């Protein structure tokens, strides 16, 4: 039985989540697995702590008790959730797709799942069934992000601001070499600077009231530091300006034209209250503020929500493939069981016949028995495959054959 038990920020809050985060890390770092489980994978992130398990039991209540014991609990408390079988697999597929995240479709969770699974594999804690499920989750999560709009667009203020800058330099390639000016080295300014660097922007300058703070960030990210004396000139020469400061009075004349005639400029005001007045916008000066960014964010969220139906179609398809694969395992189990039965039967019959007919070559008789057993197994495999194609209840028949008692126990 596949099961998942866990707790998340959304189900219980950060305080409760923090209580169990250390437990998951300790358990995941171990190199052994309890005999109660065939395989386990611990997942611990800033938003969730979960254990996925392959349990050799068929009783749901017993499985739930085993899962709760991993958290030191005897009963399910508020905020905890437990899913088994199809519900557990569905939960993992939704997590991998980003449908169970605060930001729908976010990419980070897929990497976190992969790391958790890799740690479990390294410690030899997984099972073939868990391996199959997690690989399918990774494949489905990737397909959903490639084939739907679930992760299209940006959600954070800083990422939207950088996306606007990217669109601007794409539309006006001539402005791409004129540099980016960031006003403010606080949390927002620093995050914007980091994303800009990661996105390949160059010639980035930063100004801050505290030159020391600006220099510290500049050293870290490879930026240019602009002093207050240089600020006006830097503003007039920069093609992209990010404003992330709090000033009672405007720091600059944001409507001032660029030094080059008819040169374009993008100004993104990330401040609250706004630092850049609407009047600063003109034919060559494009101004965005937090109101515009909120509208972009809302539109992105709506598009992602519309993509949920498409994502769920891919998830249901993955569920169907996993169900088919699991049913196919009964064929292997059936043939394996019957191979053992035929081996036991052959050995007994050959032994009994040789005792009654000592003149017969036992080696030849044994080879004949092996060939006969192999032919019977091939016929059985063919019959099961035909039932799989033509019979609605083929899997029930296969499971029944797989549970036949060993020959020695019947005699």
């Amino acid at each position: 039985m596949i099961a998942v038990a866990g707790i998340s920020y959304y189900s219980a809050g950060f305080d409760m989540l923090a209580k169990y985060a250390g437990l998951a890390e300790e358990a995941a770092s171990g190199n052994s697995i309890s005999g109660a489980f065939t395989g386990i994978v611990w997942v611990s992130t800033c938003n969730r702590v979960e254990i996925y398990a392959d349990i050799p039991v068929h009783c749901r209540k017993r499985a739930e008790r085993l899962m709760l014991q991993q958290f030191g609990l005897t009963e399910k408390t508020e905020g905890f959730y437990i899913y088994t079988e199809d519900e557990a697999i569905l939960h993992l597929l939704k997590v991998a797709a980003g449908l169970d995240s605060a930001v729908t479709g976010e990419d980070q969770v897929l990497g976190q799942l992969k790391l958790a699974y890799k740690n479990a594999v390294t410690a030899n804690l997984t099972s073939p069934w868990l391996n199959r499920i997690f690989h399918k989750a990774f494949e489905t999560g990737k397909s959903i992000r490639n084939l739907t709009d679930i992760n299209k667009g940006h959600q954070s203020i800083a990422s939207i601001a950088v996306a606007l800058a990217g669109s601007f330099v794409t539309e006006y390639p001539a402005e791409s070499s004129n540099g980016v000016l960031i006003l403010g080295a606080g949390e927002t300014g620093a995050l914007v600077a980091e994303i800009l660097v990661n996105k390949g922007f160059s010639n980035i300058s930063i100004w801050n009231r505290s030159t020391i703070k600006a220099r510290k960030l500049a050293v870290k990210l490879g930026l240019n530091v602009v002093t207050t004396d240089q600020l006006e000139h830097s503003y007039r020469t920069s093609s992209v300006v990010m404003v992330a400061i709090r000033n009672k009075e405007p720091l600059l004349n944001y409507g001032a034209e660029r030094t080059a005639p008819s040169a374009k400029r993008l100004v993104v005001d990330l401040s609250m209250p706004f630092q850049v007045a609407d009047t600063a916008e003109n034919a060559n000066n494009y101004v965005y503020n937090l109101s515009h960014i909120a509208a972009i964010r809302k539109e992105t969220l709506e598009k992602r929500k519309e993509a949920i139906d498409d994502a769920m179609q891919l998830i249901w398809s993955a569920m169907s493939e996993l169900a088919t694969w699991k049913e196919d395992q009964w064929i292997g189990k059936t043939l394996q069981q019957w191979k053992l039965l035929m081996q036991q039967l052959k050995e007994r019959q050959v032994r009994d016949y040789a005792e009654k007919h000592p003149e017969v070559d036992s080696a030849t008789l044994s080879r004949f028995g092996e060939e006969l057993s192999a032919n019977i197994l091939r016929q059985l495999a063919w019959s099961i495959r035909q039932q799989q194609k033509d019979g609605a209840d083929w899997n029930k028949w296969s499971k029944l054959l797989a549970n036949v008692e060993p020959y020695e126990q019947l005699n």
Side-chain angles (χ1 to χ4, degrees):
M1 175 183 291
I2 293 296
V4 57
I7 187 172
S8 70
Y9 160 68
Y10 319 109
S11 68
F14 278 124
D15 291 341
M16 184 68 73
L17 183 64
K19 179 181 178 181
Y20 294 98
L23 171 67
E25 292 171 4
E26 181 181 344
S29 65
N31 293 317
S32 62
I33 184 172
S34 167
F37 299 102
T38 305
I40 59 171
V41 177
W42 277 99
V43 176
S44 181
T45 73
C46 57
N47 287 323
R48 70 183 67 245
V49 176
E50 296 176 336
I51 178 174
Y52 294 83
D54 187 355
I55 313 174
V57 299
H58 300 287
C59 176
R60 178 185 171 91
K61 288 186 177 180
R62 184 180 176 192
E64 288 184 353
R65 285 197 299 270
L66 287 170
M67 297 297 280
L68 287 172
Q69 286 171 8
Q70 308 314 302
F71 291 89
L73 300 173
T74 56
E75 60 182 18
K76 189 165 66 172
T77 60
E78 185 177 356
F80 266 86
Y81 47 84
I82 301 177
Y83 306 115
T84 58
E85 293 295 66
D86 286 350
E87 288 184 344
I89 297 171
L90 179 61
H91 176 76
L92 175 60
L93 290 170
K94 284 184 174 181
V95 171
L99 300 186
D100 197 55
S101 299
V103 177
T104 303
E106 57 100 356
D107 297 328
Q108 187 178 13
V109 68
L110 189 58
Q112 292 168 333
L113 279 178
K114 288 181 178 180
L115 179 59
Y117 173 72
K118 180 181 178 182
N119 291 338
V121 170
T122 302
N124 295 315
L125 298 179
T126 64
S127 69
W129 188 208
L130 274 178
N131 291 340
R132 187 76 180 191
I133 293 170
F134 268 84
H135 280 293
K136 178 54 69 175
F138 300 149
E139 176 189 322
T140 304
K142 182 178 179 180
S143 295
I144 286 172
R145 288 168 173 81
N146 289 337
L147 300 176
T148 75
D149 291 333
I150 201 72
N151 65 336
K152 301 302 185 290
H154 301 273
Q155 283 288 295
S156 73
I157 291 173
S159 62
I160 291 174
V162 174
L164 289 170
S167 298
F168 176 77
V169 296
T170 299
E171 186 172 355
Y172 301 105
E175 303 296 345
S176 60
S177 61
N178 291 324
V180 179
L181 172 63
I182 302 174
L183 303 182
E187 182 178 351
T188 301
L191 183 56
V192 167
E194 185 173 354
I195 298 175
L196 283 167
V197 171
N198 290 337
K199 291 293 184 180
F201 281 81
S202 58
N203 190 19
I204 303 172
S205 301
I206 188 161
W207 172 90
N208 195 69
R209 289 189 190 88
S210 168
T211 306
I212 295 176
K213 193 172 184 178
R215 291 189 188 284
K216 185 177 180 180
L217 186 62
V219 170
K220 179 182 177 182
L221 299 177
L223 313 179
N224 306 311
V225 177
V226 174
T227 64
T228 302
D229 292 341
Q230 301 168 325
L231 186 56
E232 185 175 343
H233 174 74
S234 181
Y235 180 76
R236 291 175 65 86
T237 56
S238 299
S239 59
V240 176
V241 180
M242 301 287 181
V243 184
I245 57 177
R246 288 185 180 180
N247 261 30
K248 293 182 179 180
E249 299 294 333
L251 182 66
L252 292 164
N253 174 15
Y254 293 105
E257 293 185 359
R258 297 274 307 281
T259 50
S262 302
K264 307 293 183 181
R265 181 198 291 126
L266 171 70
V267 181
V268 183
D269 187 359
L270 304 173
S271 309
M272 184 56 68
F274 300 151
Q275 296 293 307
V276 184
D278 292 340
T279 54
E281 184 160 15
N282 54 54
N284 296 321
N285 217 36
Y286 304 101
V287 176
Y288 287 81
N289 57 36
L290 289 179
S291 293
H292 302 109
I293 288 176
I296 294 171
R297 193 175 186 177
K298 182 179 179 181
E299 183 180 354
T300 298
L301 184 58
E302 290 301 320
K303 287 182 178 178
R304 290 192 178 192
K305 286 181 178 179
E306 290 174 4
I308 290 177
D309 287 342
D310 296 331
M312 286 305 301
Q313 290 298 319
L314 292 171
I315 286 176
W316 292 127
S317 176
M319 290 281 290
S320 177
E321 290 178 26
L322 287 169
T324 300
W325 183 87
K326 188 177 182 182
E327 288 178 348
D328 282 348
Q329 302 315 295
W330 284 102
I331 296 177
K333 184 178 179 182
T334 298
L335 295 177
Q336 184 179 22
Q337 181 74 352
W338 276 82
K339 184 177 181 180
L340 174 62
L341 293 173
M342 295 298 293
Q343 179 71 19
Q344 293 174 344
L345 179 60
K346 184 208 74 172
E347 290 177 355
R348 171 170 286 206
Q349 293 301 104
V350 168
R351 185 180 66 246
D352 291 348
Y353 191 86
E355 289 176 355
K356 295 177 182 179
H357 304 277
E359 72 280 4
V360 176
D361 181 17
S362 59
T364 301
L365 191 61
S366 179
R367 283 196 297 274
F368 173 76
E370 289 175 358
E371 291 176 4
L372 181 62
S373 297
N375 286 330
I376 292 173
L377 284 173
R378 279 193 287 270
Q379 179 64 40
L380 179 61
W382 182 86
S383 298
I384 291 175
R385 287 298 183 187
Q386 287 302 114
Q387 284 291 320
Q388 183 183 16
K389 293 178 181 178
D390 306 328
D393 295 328
W394 73 271
N395 58 329
K396 295 180 181 178
W397 183 59
S398 178
K399 291 176 184 179
L400 178 63
L401 288 174
N403 289 306
V404 173
E405 293 292 334
Y407 182 81
E408 293 294 341
Q409 295 182 20
L410 299 176
N411 294 273

